[in-house]
């Protein structure tokens, strides 16, 4: 029996959802035009007024917002409510440049908690669960978001933050955690540590995991599910749209349902800005129609994915987004070829290597170089240099087949690549391509 | 003919990598009998023969090193010109491939050598018929 946190919304008919979105969009555009001079200016420049927006069909008329706008408007330029009504800020983890500050009223926090509660419920969570949150707490939305949702559902919440892995596992056993929430790379690390401590999944009471904040492949999901004995669910969000909980995976585990009563999703061609139909890969754009303090309209996420409105076996009618296939800004161009780190991860896991890797890109004598450092599993070790060299060559060939360019693979001893407790640093680009 | 167990340790090509491993052995009272390193740009394979193989494996594994234990051949030959050639000729004549070898323990007009071959049984038979003195793990520990 599928459980929903908010069945009325999650299983709403498409017609009713459109009506709801239309109403909310019209009100939100008026609210933003009136209170956010920065966005009003963008609308004026494009020759669009709030009266031109009568429904979601008119969404394409509105100007986009990008990360650059948010940095330019730092800190109060996109605020739509007086500070006295704001109760919180969160800030991005700054993986690409300067930080961004997002504001929340109490209503915004409540709405966000509600979204996360839907995610936890979809993963099978109820008030009888013990929810261990190993996302970072603080300015990062990961810890705060799952914490709020967990409280809303009524789980016993363990606000562990990340780190102190031995203590995480100790509490997991002593307090019988049933749900784990953290980044996928940290979940993989916890899984490794569990094995090193001589424990098996049978020694834990975990049944589900909710992982996000960074891209992760199907192979990685499978690996985590094995090492912890759980069903691993994806969750998606960005600080600019509250945080995790914008979209969440259901029991089908094939794409994430977007909470589109709060966030309208579009897919656009990242070069032209043209809106693309369902099924086509493009950049995900969100319009927040219920947020009060920091409501972004047509915010470009730079995440590439596909939308689908096909029937889902879980019964939810909310539009689904695929796992992000890469970011339009993390995509690297090496020797003229588009390369996504996730492609490399797929090959590594398929060939039985640990997904702990780092890519180093450099430019030597005007030619791009691609070096991939991969950790060898202890059982792959041999006493002969040629065996290891053969492995390096074979792996290099597999990656070349996937990417179209030839990398240099370096196999390294276990633990020689620093582990991450938050978002893993997979790419070190030493080329000076921009300022 | 019981072969000798050699421990190979995967180490990074970084400052003090080797020292750290030896420190662990020292701390646990393990005595080295033979040692060699194969080095490449990125890593080294440290090959060790110690006086307590099981304990060495245990303590190194605890420190999260990737280990491999392989059976190797060990011989003692007279410290004379041509002595090593003799051994290699026997192996070659019997179709045994040598992967690598290294010398340890010289003294008293004798030299001992570790030889990693592709077929230990064939090598044992060939060397025995050639009258070459082969060592066991216990022999080496006692040396």
């Amino acid at each position: 029996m599928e459980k929903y946190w908010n069945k009325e919304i999650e299983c709403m008919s498409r017609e009713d959802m459109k009506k709801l979105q239309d109403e909310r969009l019209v009100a939100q555009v008026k609210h933003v035009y009136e209170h956010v001079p920065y966005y009003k200016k963008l609308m004026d420049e494009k020759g669009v007024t709030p009266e031109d927006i009568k429904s979601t069909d008119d969404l394409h008329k509105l100007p986009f917002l990008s990360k650059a706008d948010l940095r330019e408007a730092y800190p109060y330029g996109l605020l739509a409510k007086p500070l006295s009504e704001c109760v919180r800020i969160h800030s991005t983890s700054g993986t690409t440049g300067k930080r961004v500050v997002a504001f929340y009223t109490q209503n915004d926090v409540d709405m966000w908690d509600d979204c996360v509660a839907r995610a936890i419920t979809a993963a099978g969570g109820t008030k009888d669960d013990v929810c261990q949150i190993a996302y970072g707490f603080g300015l990062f939305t990961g810890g705060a978001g799952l914490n709020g949702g967990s409280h809303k559902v009524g789980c016993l919440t363990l606000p562990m933050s990340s780190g102190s892995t031995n203590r995480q596992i100790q509490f997991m056993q002593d307090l019988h955690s049933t749900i784990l929430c953290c980044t996928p790379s940290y979940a993989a690390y916890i899984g490794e540590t569990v094995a090193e401590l001589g424990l098996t999944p049978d020694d834990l009471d975990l049944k589900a995991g909710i992982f996000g904040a960074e891209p992760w492949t199907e192979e990685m999901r499978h690996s985590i599910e094995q090492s912890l004995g759980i069903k691993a669910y994806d969750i998606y969000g960005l600080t600019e749209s509250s945080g995790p909980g914008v979209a969440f995976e259901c029991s089908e585990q094939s794409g994430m349902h977007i909470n589109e009563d709060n966030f309208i999703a579009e897919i656009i061609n990242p070069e032209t800005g043209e809106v693309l139909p369902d099924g086509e890969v493009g950049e995900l754009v969100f319009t927040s129609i219920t947020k009060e303090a920091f409501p972004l309209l047509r915010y470009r996420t730079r995440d590439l994915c596909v939308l689908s409105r096909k029937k889902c076996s879980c019964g939810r009618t909310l539009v689904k987004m695929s796992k992000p296939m890469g970011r339009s800004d993390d995509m690297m161009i090496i020797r003229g070829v588009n390369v996504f780190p996730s492609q490399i991860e797929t090959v590594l896991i398929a060939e039985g290597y640990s997904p702990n890797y780092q890519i180093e890109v450099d430019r030597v004598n005007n030619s791009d170089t691609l070096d991939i450092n991969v950790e060898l599993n202890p059982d792959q070790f041999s006493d002969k240099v040629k065996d290891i060299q053969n492995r390096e060559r074979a792996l290099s060939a597999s990656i070349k087949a996937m990417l179209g360019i030839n990398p240099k693979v370096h196999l390294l001893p276990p633990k020689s690549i620093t582990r991450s407790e938050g978002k893993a640093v997979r790419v070190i680009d030493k080329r000076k391509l921009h300022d | 003919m019981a072969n000798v167990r050699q421990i190979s340790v995967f180490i990074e090509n970084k400052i003090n990598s080797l020292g750290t491993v030896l420190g662990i052995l020292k701390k646990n009272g393990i005595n080295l009998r033979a040692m060699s390193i194969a080095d490449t740009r990125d890593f080294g394979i440290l090959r060790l023969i110690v006086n307590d193989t099981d304990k060495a494996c245990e303590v190194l594994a605890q420190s999260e090193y990737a280990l491999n234990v392989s059976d190797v051949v060990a011989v003692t030959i007279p410290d004379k010109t041509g002595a090593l050639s003799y051994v290699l000729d026997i192996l070659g004549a019997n179709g045994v491939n040598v992967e690598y070898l290294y010398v340890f323990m010289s003294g008293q007009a004798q030299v001992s050598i570790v030889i990693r071959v592709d077929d230990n049984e064939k090598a044992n038979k060939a060397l025995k018929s050639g009258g070459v003195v082969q060592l066991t793990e216990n022999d080496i520990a006692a040396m």
Side-chain angles (χ1 to χ4, degrees):
Chain A
M1 254 262 47
E2 185 77 33
K3 289 241 186 72
Y4 312 97
W5 177 252
N6 186 338
K7 186 169 186 183
E8 194 200 332
I9 294 282
E10 296 177 57
C11 301
M12 189 174 270
S13 72
R14 299 291 329 154
E15 306 82 68
D16 287 344
M17 179 59 76
K18 181 162 194 313
K19 264 212 272 188
L20 181 61
Q21 289 179 328
D22 289 343
E23 275 166 32
R24 288 180 172 179
L25 177 63
V26 170
Q28 187 71 300
V29 173
K30 285 202 183 78
H31 173 67
V32 172
Y33 192 79
E34 216 171 300
H35 295 103
V36 186
Y38 187 98
Y39 196 77
K40 174 179 184 296
K41 181 152 170 263
L42 292 178
M43 283 178 68
D44 291 342
E45 279 167 6
K46 219 181 166 199
V48 185
T49 66
E51 290 68 44
D52 295 326
I53 311 296
K54 299 186 190 53
S55 77
T56 59
D57 300 330
D58 300 320
L59 193 50
H60 67 276
K61 296 178 183 165
L62 291 170
F64 290 114
L65 278 174
S66 70
K67 193 92 159 188
D69 291 307
L70 268 59
R71 289 203 192 110
E72 204 186 305
Y74 173 93
Y76 302 121
L78 290 163
L79 190 56
K81 279 278 184 180
L83 280 172
S84 58
E85 284 182 51
C86 296
V87 300
R88 182 134 29 115
I89 62 154
H90 277 293
S91 183
T92 57
S93 50
T95 43
T96 59
K98 269 171 66 183
R99 292 184 150 252
V100 155
V101 169
F103 297 84
Y104 302 73
T105 59
Q106 189 57 55
N107 287 339
D108 291 336
V109 173
D110 294 340
M111 179 273 277
W112 182 18
D113 291 346
D114 192 78
C115 287
V116 180
R118 296 179 197 179
I120 294 176
T121 307
T126 69
K127 63 180 177 56
D128 297 323
D129 279 291
V130 179
C131 189
Q132 183 159 343
I133 302 173
Y135 279 111
F137 273 74
L139 288 174
F140 177 46
T141 56
L146 270 299
N147 191 48
S150 178
H151 277 78
K152 193 100 183 216
V153 173
C155 304
L156 172 60
T157 310
L158 310 187
M160 307 295 291
S161 196
S162 60
S164 304
T165 309
N166 285 338
R167 184 172 68 189
Q168 300 268 3
I169 296 171
Q170 194 63 59
F171 271 38
M172 212 177 264
Q173 296 179 276
D174 297 344
L175 297 172
H176 308 285
S177 305
T178 51
I179 300 177
L180 173 65
C181 307
C182 58
T183 61
S185 38
Y186 194 39
Y189 185 31
I190 293 176
E192 272 177 34
T193 313
V194 162
E196 277 165 23
L197 292 173
L199 302 168
T200 72
D202 290 333
D203 296 309
L204 304 171
D205 293 299
L206 289 180
K207 66 182 198 198
I210 301 177
F211 309 124
E214 60 180 3
W216 49 308
T217 56
E218 279 307 313
E219 288 82 6
M220 185 121 180
R221 185 217 296 273
H222 185 72
S223 171
I224 292 171
E225 289 187 333
Q226 298 282 36
S227 66
L228 293 173
I230 57 174
K231 232 179 143 180
Y233 296 85
D234 204 352
I235 191 169
Y236 176 85
L238 34 161
T239 307
E240 294 86 340
S241 304
S242 306
V246 173
F248 60 96
E249 230 171 25
C250 65
S251 48
E252 222 189 68
Q253 286 177 298
S254 68
M256 293 178 276
H257 291 283
I258 297 176
N259 286 315
E260 54 180 327
D261 55 320
N262 295 306
F263 307 105
I264 301 178
E266 296 171 277
I267 295 287
I268 63 165
N269 176 324
E271 320 269 292
T272 64
E274 175 206 346
V275 179
L276 301 172
D278 289 356
E280 280 194 42
V281 181
E283 184 180 349
L284 187 54
V285 172
F286 280 119
T287 297
S288 301
I289 48 179
T290 49
K291 269 167 27 95
E292 299 178 335
F294 193 68
L296 304 182
L297 305 180
R298 295 199 97 199
Y299 178 71
R300 297 180 62 153
T301 65
R302 291 160 310 157
D303 280 325
L304 300 171
C305 72
V306 170
L307 291 182
S308 164
R309 267 160 251 256
K310 289 205 198 90
K311 201 168 146 98
C312 186
S313 61
C314 76
R316 291 179 180 84
T317 53
L318 300 171
V319 65
K320 272 165 101 160
M321 59 176 277
S322 63
K323 265 183 190 292
M325 303 165 171
R327 286 173 58 107
S328 51
D329 61 351
D330 271 7
M331 179 186 77
M332 299 170 287
I333 302 178
I334 303 174
R335 290 185 224 141
V337 174
N338 292 351
V339 175
F340 290 102
S342 61
Q343 293 172 294
I344 295 174
E345 191 175 312
T346 301
V347 175
L348 289 180
I349 301 192
E351 308 260 319
Y353 290 93
S354 102
N356 230 289
Y357 66 94
Q358 263 187 348
I359 299 168
E360 276 183 33
V361 186
D362 206 343
R363 188 162 278 169
V364 176
N365 296 329
N366 286 319
S367 179
D368 290 337
T369 62
L370 174 59
D371 287 84
I372 304 175
N373 299 323
V374 184
E375 283 185 6
L376 201 64
N377 289 324
D379 53 303
Q380 295 169 319
F381 183 47
S382 158
D383 64 308
K384 297 190 212 130
V385 173
K386 73 176 186 195
D387 287 347
I388 299 185
Q389 287 178 329
N390 284 341
R391 277 185 171 275
E392 282 180 341
R393 261 175 243 134
L395 189 51
S396 183
S398 300
I399 296 176
K400 178 179 179 179
M402 165 73 84
L403 300 182
I405 49 171
N406 209 0
K408 277 244 214 71
V409 171
H410 308 284
L411 289 174
L412 301 177
K415 310 287 172 168
S416 42
I417 297 178
T418 12
R419 287 290 186 279
S420 77
E421 292 157 1
K423 299 185 198 206
V425 176
R426 293 287 180 226
V427 180
I428 301 172
D429 194 339
K430 296 179 173 163
R431 302 172 296 179
K432 298 277 178 283
L433 300 174
H434 328 276
D435 296 306
Chain B
M1 177 83 240
N3 276 301
V4 176
R5 285 179 300 167
Q6 173 195 256
I7 306 173
S8 303
V9 188
F10 196 23
I11 55 177
E12 289 183 76
N13 193 352
K14 260 171 44 178
I15 294 178
N16 214 30
S17 268
L18 180 53
T20 308
V21 175
L22 298 181
I24 293 170
L25 298 178
K26 171 180 159 175
K27 197 169 116 180
N28 288 277
I30 295 168
N31 202 5
L32 285 177
R33 310 315 290 145
M35 187 179 114
S36 145
I37 301 190
D39 58 302
T40 75
R41 196 200 90 150
D42 301 318
F43 59 85
I45 302 184
L46 172 61
R47 298 167 182 138
L48 305 167
I49 298 183
V50 297
N51 65 341
D52 187 344
T53 311
D54 294 316
K55 182 149 185 230
C57 286
E58 196 192 305
V59 301
L60 288 172
Q62 254 166 37
S63 291
E64 297 174 329
Y65 282 96
L67 303 176
N68 174 287
V69 178
S70 6
D71 287 334
V72 295
V73 171
V75 301
T76 297
I77 56 176
D79 186 359
K80 263 183 15 201
T81 313
L84 182 53
S85 284
Y86 176 68
V87 171
L88 295 178
D89 286 344
I90 293 179
L91 293 175
N94 285 272
V96 176
N97 187 27
V98 172
E99 303 279 359
Y100 54 79
L101 59 80
Y102 49 98
V103 175
F104 73 105
M105 293 286 180
S106 24
Q108 297 177 318
Q110 290 188 128
V111 176
S112 297
I113 309 179
V114 174
I115 312 178
R116 175 76 155 99
V117 296
D118 61 345
D119 188 335
N120 282 316
E121 242 191 77
K122 234 202 242 174
N124 290 148
K125 264 174 70 184
L127 292 169
K128 186 166 176 193
S129 65
V132 178
V133 175
Q134 296 182 67
L135 302 170
T136 66
E137 203 169 305
N138 290 333
D139 290 336
I140 297 178
M143 271 161 117

